[in-house]
Amino acid sequence: MSFLAVSQQAAIACYPLIGRSDKMAADDAGTKAMRSRLNRINMDAVVVIGEGEMDEAPMLYINEKLGTGSGPKVDIAVDPVEGTNLMAAGKDNALSVISAATRGSLLHAPDMYMKKIAVGPQAKGCIDIDKSLTENMKNVARSLGKDIRELDVMIQERPRHQELAQEAVKAGAHVRFFSEADVTAAIATAFDHCDADIFAGIGGAPEGVVAATALKSLGGDFQGKLVPQSKEEIERCIKMGIPFPEKKLTMDDIVKTDDCFFVATGITNGMLLDGVKQTASGKLITHSIVLTGGKMKYVQFIHGQFSGDSEF
């Protein structure tokens, strides 16, 4: 519940800025609210995925210590506004997310590209990022008891993914393009109602760690491979403890423990969650999800009055 309050407060702080075309202001509001609430939790936490390095971000920077200093030692991965452009434009699928695991368990992923592939629990063990998308789709379809023509493949709509999308279509699958927020797209593979069987593509490495934590909490699967674009990025990987940057990273390489969890609160409406709403009396309603131990719990909160929750 302590971490749930963190994502709730970050989403609430962003609410007045939805559709205001100012993603910097929204990110700043969410970040300040998230940091303030995290520092009230009895824990000795370190940010491993955050807003950037200390010289790039004033708070929630990598290696920043959070919490009261007493309590469990944990790694924290945060994104106060997953989908800043979406939120600024008033579009769907903006979330406030946070994941945590025991200290030393989360990959310290540099801020660079990562090739990714993800599936839900029913297809766990069926993916291999070193194989073609077609071969992965065949294996996933077999595991799900589907024909490959029934598969829904989540791919971010970017020029770099043109060939990947063409391959999926050629194999007979349905491609579901999304514009941003690939954490949502990856996690959607674990939800029956989302029509997402497999996620593939290249996106941010930090987002990969957040998504992997969520999927591990649900029993899904995720693999990644860093894609350095320069000698400097290779050196950065090595400095952060990744001596072979282009090595395949399995779920257990990215999240080294089962003692982890993921919490998200919707800022705008989306595939996974409803956005923040305001009642006629001025109270705010948030819709969140907590993933841990193979279970998911949806929580709806009327701030100032708890309205109940439902578990699936």
Side-chain angles (χ1 to χ4, degrees):
M1 292 299 292
S2 296
F3 283 89
L4 175 61
V6 171
S7 63
Q8 288 174 334
Q9 292 305 312
I12 286 171
C14 293
Y15 175 70
L17 295 160
I18 294 173
R20 300 285 188 179
S21 300
D22 192 343
K23 68 176 186 177
M24 298 298 290
D27 196 52
D28 183 61
T31 299
K32 286 179 178 177
M34 180 171 277
R35 182 177 184 269
S36 174
R37 198 77 188 198
L38 282 167
N39 275 327
R40 294 165 58 179
I41 298 176
N42 286 326
M43 63 178 178
D44 179 1
V46 174
V47 177
V48 298
I49 300 294
E51 294 292 277
E53 296 288 349
M54 183 163 47
D55 58 349
E56 299 171 351
M59 59 186 71
L60 294 184
Y61 52 82
I62 297 169
N63 292 324
E64 181 178 6
K65 293 186 179 297
L66 298 169
T68 63
S70 63
K73 297 180 182 295
V74 297
D75 286 345
I76 299 288
V78 300
D79 194 344
V81 186
E82 157 71 354
T84 51
N85 289 323
L86 297 174
M87 203 222 72
K91 294 183 178 179
D92 290 352
N93 290 314
L95 301 172
S96 178
V97 303
I98 180 167
S99 55
T102 50
R103 177 70 57 82
S105 299
L106 296 183
L107 177 73
H108 289 234
D111 190 5
M112 64 177 60
Y113 278 133
M114 174 188 274
K115 183 180 179 182
K116 314 172 194 180
I117 187 167
V119 290
Q122 289 181 291
K124 183 177 180 179
C126 295
I127 54 173
D128 187 340
I129 202 164
D130 286 333
K131 295 180 179 179
S132 69
L133 177 59
T134 300
E135 192 166 353
N136 276 293
M137 288 192 299
K138 288 178 179 177
N139 291 335
V140 169
R142 189 178 303 114
S143 178
L144 297 177
K146 292 184 175 183
D147 187 283
I148 197 169
R149 291 172 296 181
E150 298 176 278
L151 284 187
D152 289 295
V153 185
M154 302 294 293
I155 298 176
Q156 190 172 23
E157 194 170 14
R158 294 289 187 273
R160 63 179 178 269
H161 293 145
Q162 185 176 355
E163 291 184 9
L164 194 70
Q166 289 174 346
E167 181 182 355
V169 171
K170 185 177 179 180
H174 303 279
V175 172
R176 298 196 65 199
F177 285 114
F178 63 96
S179 61
E180 289 194 35
D182 70 357
V183 170
T184 295
I187 299 171
T189 59
F191 292 77
D192 292 339
H193 71 275
C194 287
D195 295 325
D197 298 305
I198 183 169
F199 160 84
I202 295 173
E207 290 83 356
V209 176
V210 175
T213 308
L215 285 166
K216 188 155 194 178
S217 299
L218 273 178
D221 208 353
F222 183 100
Q223 289 187 5
K225 184 180 286 189
L226 294 172
V227 187
Q229 303 291 298
S230 65
K231 181 181 177 181
E232 288 73 24
E233 288 196 348
I234 293 174
E235 291 173 351
R236 179 165 165 71
C237 290
I238 295 170
K239 182 181 177 182
M240 294 182 74
I242 307 171
F244 305 103
E246 296 182 16
K247 175 187 176 233
K248 175 169 70 176
L249 297 167
T250 66
M251 175 77 88
D252 290 337
D253 293 322
I254 299 170
V255 187
K256 300 180 180 68
T257 180
D258 290 331
D259 188 9
C260 60
F261 64 86
F262 170 90
V263 178
T265 299
I267 299 173
T268 60
N269 290 335
M271 294 178 67
L272 303 182
L273 294 165
D274 294 333
V276 181
K277 301 288 191 300
Q278 189 168 32
T279 67
S281 63
K283 293 180 179 179
L284 294 177
I285 302 174
T286 57
H287 192 215
S288 307
I289 192 168
V290 179
L291 309 177
T292 186
K295 297 179 181 179
M296 66 178 79
K297 176 178 284 190
Y298 285 103
V299 181
Q300 187 177 63
F301 224 94
I302 298 177
H303 290 266
Q305 175 188 345
F306 183 63
S307 69
D309 64 2
S310 54
E311 189 167 348
F312 297 87

